[in-house]
Amino acid sequence: MNPASINEWFPTEQQRKYISLLRGQTNLTRRRAECFVKLWAYLLVKQYDESGNNLELPLTKLLAPKGFISCTHKEAHELFYATQERGSERAAGMMMDKLATIGLIEKEFDGNTTCVRVISPLTNLNDTVQPKKSVEVFADVFEPRIDTIPVSSYLRHHFNFGNNTTASHRIARILRNWSKQSSATMRVLRRCDNNYPVGFYVLYPVAKESEENYFTSPRHSLYFSVNSDSDPIKMAVPGDTNCTCIHVRGWYIEPDHLNFNNICKFLEDGKQSLTKMQADFPELCDMYTIPLQPMYEQLATALGFHKIECDPHSSVSWMYIAVDNYLKLELTKVLSVLKFN
């Protein structure tokens, strides 16, 4: 297979349709969208070719490749720069890193080569995140003694640290530290069959002196995904009448369990948690978050969050909703626009 032949397998007019969809639903640059679409098509064709199954070419639509597929920087270079004089294998590797950072792909190194998994950000998420089997789940309190390690492990992948175990350890320390502060509402989505956590969120009450962070670049307030022991957002203590802000500092469901019912169940639990927090923080009125992946940005938008501060050097943005408006949401109604089953 020659990656440079991608335009023969997936014609440029079809590529443009996907590029337009991507740019319409995310804040991707055109160049990143172009590279992602080529990579997506190549991995799909390569997977079918290696499995011996027939795939009708040229492609008229993109399906979601299953699992991780090998893709060297050399292959990526031929994909991204075959028709251009500029570009190198190193540049191609950096482009893949950017696509991973914004949540379009996941990368793993198997000891010999880089392997890539595509995460489609398009509206019909059902095409890419169907659960392997129906497993009942329930919302539950985060138990630091049993949940910290599994949650930190999948948050490491969510924040695109790959196999960086140091990052996993750092996230585990953060989670345990937050759990000691009773004012943080930390919840998990737990499987009924084995009690394993497959989702996590934290509603973080913000001290007054940290409110200014929401009016500056969101890049300066990232904490999980940066190597710093200094948390830019200070937590408010129960009874603080000056606390007006809630920060959704993490909200995640593992892909195999990401479906309409589970999302609604977890978000409804979040509404109940927020209502309880109002007893400790009676002046709560503002809710902020920074979605780090396109699908979660779509979810936030469907819930009524609006972008208020974008970072000029990255794809991250502050998103805001009034607490009163959030608590009034009819979740099944507002999420129906995402076309989940």
Side-chain angles (χ1 to χ4, degrees):
M1 291 179 62
N2 182 2
S5 302
I6 189 64
N7 292 343
E8 299 175 17
W9 308 331
F10 193 46
T12 54
E13 59 268 26
Q14 296 295 337
Q15 293 181 37
R16 291 192 198 102
K17 293 179 182 179
Y18 278 81
I19 291 167
S20 296
L21 285 171
L22 283 164
R23 299 197 71 204
Q25 297 186 29
T26 70
N27 55 358
L28 278 179
T29 64
R30 173 167 290 278
R31 181 60 189 153
R32 291 179 184 179
E34 290 172 350
C35 291
F36 173 63
V37 168
K38 288 180 183 292
L39 180 62
W40 183 354
Y42 175 67
L43 294 177
L44 175 63
V45 174
K46 184 174 183 179
Q47 183 174 71
Y48 270 78
D49 183 70
E50 291 180 346
S51 65
N53 295 322
N54 293 324
L55 185 65
E56 187 174 345
L57 299 175
L59 298 173
T60 57
K61 67 176 183 178
L62 293 180
L63 306 174
K66 297 178 181 179
F68 285 87
I69 305 157
S70 65
C71 183
T72 65
H73 288 181
K74 181 179 180 180
E75 290 173 281
H77 169 257
E78 293 177 4
L79 272 175
F80 301 158
Y81 305 112
T83 60
Q84 303 176 23
E85 294 182 2
R86 62 184 179 88
S88 62
E89 290 186 20
R90 181 173 180 272
M94 292 174 66
M95 175 59 76
M96 286 206 294
D97 288 341
K98 290 176 183 177
L99 297 178
T101 298
I102 57 182
L104 293 171
I105 64 172
E106 289 183 356
K107 292 176 61 181
E108 285 187 352
F109 186 70
D110 66 3
N112 295 305
T113 188
T114 298
C115 297
V116 178
R117 182 168 79 93
V118 170
I119 305 173
S120 169
L122 301 182
T123 297
N124 192 354
L125 303 181
N126 183 56
D127 289 341
T128 57
V129 293
Q130 282 280 17
K132 292 180 180 178
K133 60 173 74 174
S134 178
V135 177
E136 287 295 317
V137 296
F138 65 99
D140 194 18
V141 66
F142 175 85
E143 296 284 0
R145 292 176 64 89
I146 63 174
D147 295 327
T148 297
I149 299 307
V151 169
S152 63
S153 177
Y154 63 64
L155 284 180
R156 181 188 77 200
H157 293 290
H158 178 60
F159 288 104
N160 297 297
F161 286 114
N163 292 320
N164 186 341
T165 54
T166 301
S168 190
H169 176 240
R170 178 177 173 276
I171 292 172
R173 287 191 291 110
I174 292 173
L175 295 177
R176 286 200 165 114
N177 183 51
W178 284 353
S179 69
K180 292 176 182 178
Q181 305 177 61
S182 59
S183 54
T185 295
M186 302 169 70
R187 303 278 289 176
V188 295
L189 195 64
R190 203 181 294 283
R191 290 176 58 136
C192 293
D193 57 352
N194 58 16
N195 283 332
Y196 197 82
V198 294
F200 169 79
Y201 74 74
V202 55
L203 300 180
Y204 189 100
V206 180
K208 182 179 179 180
E209 56 264 39
S210 296
E211 288 182 11
E212 63 182 1
N213 287 276
Y214 304 108
F215 302 92
T216 62
S217 171
R219 182 164 45 103
H220 301 316
S221 297
L222 296 176
Y223 186 41
F224 272 140
S225 55
V226 297
N227 188 22
S228 173
D229 290 328
S230 178
D231 192 341
I233 310 289
K234 183 179 178 181
M235 186 183 292
V237 298
D240 184 353
T241 57
N242 291 316
C243 173
T244 61
C245 302
I246 282 289
H247 185 165
V248 185
R249 301 198 78 175
W251 199 100
Y252 178 77
I253 296 177
E254 286 193 278
D256 287 346
H257 300 272
L258 189 66
N259 59 54
F260 181 83
N261 290 334
N262 289 348
I263 289 173
C264 287
K265 182 180 296 185
F266 214 27
L267 288 171
E268 189 61 48
D269 182 77
K271 288 175 63 177
Q272 295 174 16
S273 296
L274 188 55
T275 299
K276 292 177 182 177
M277 292 182 75
Q278 289 180 315
D280 287 329
F281 306 99
E283 300 302 319
L284 283 180
C285 57
D286 300 321
M287 184 184 294
Y288 299 91
T289 191
I290 308 177
L292 294 182
Q293 292 188 7
M295 68 172 65
Y296 287 100
E297 183 176 315
Q298 292 176 52
L299 181 58
T301 300
L303 292 170
F305 282 83
H306 296 277
K307 291 183 181 181
I308 58 169
E309 193 73 40
C310 300
D311 189 286
H313 304 293
S314 68
S315 61
V316 298
S317 304
W318 280 123
M319 298 189 75
Y320 166 84
I321 190 173
V323 169
D324 291 351
N325 290 339
Y326 182 78
L327 291 176
K328 294 176 184 177
L329 290 176
E330 296 182 33
L331 294 173
T332 55
K333 181 178 180 179
V334 298
L335 295 182
S336 63
V337 300
L338 294 181
K339 300 181 181 179
F340 287 99
N341 281 338

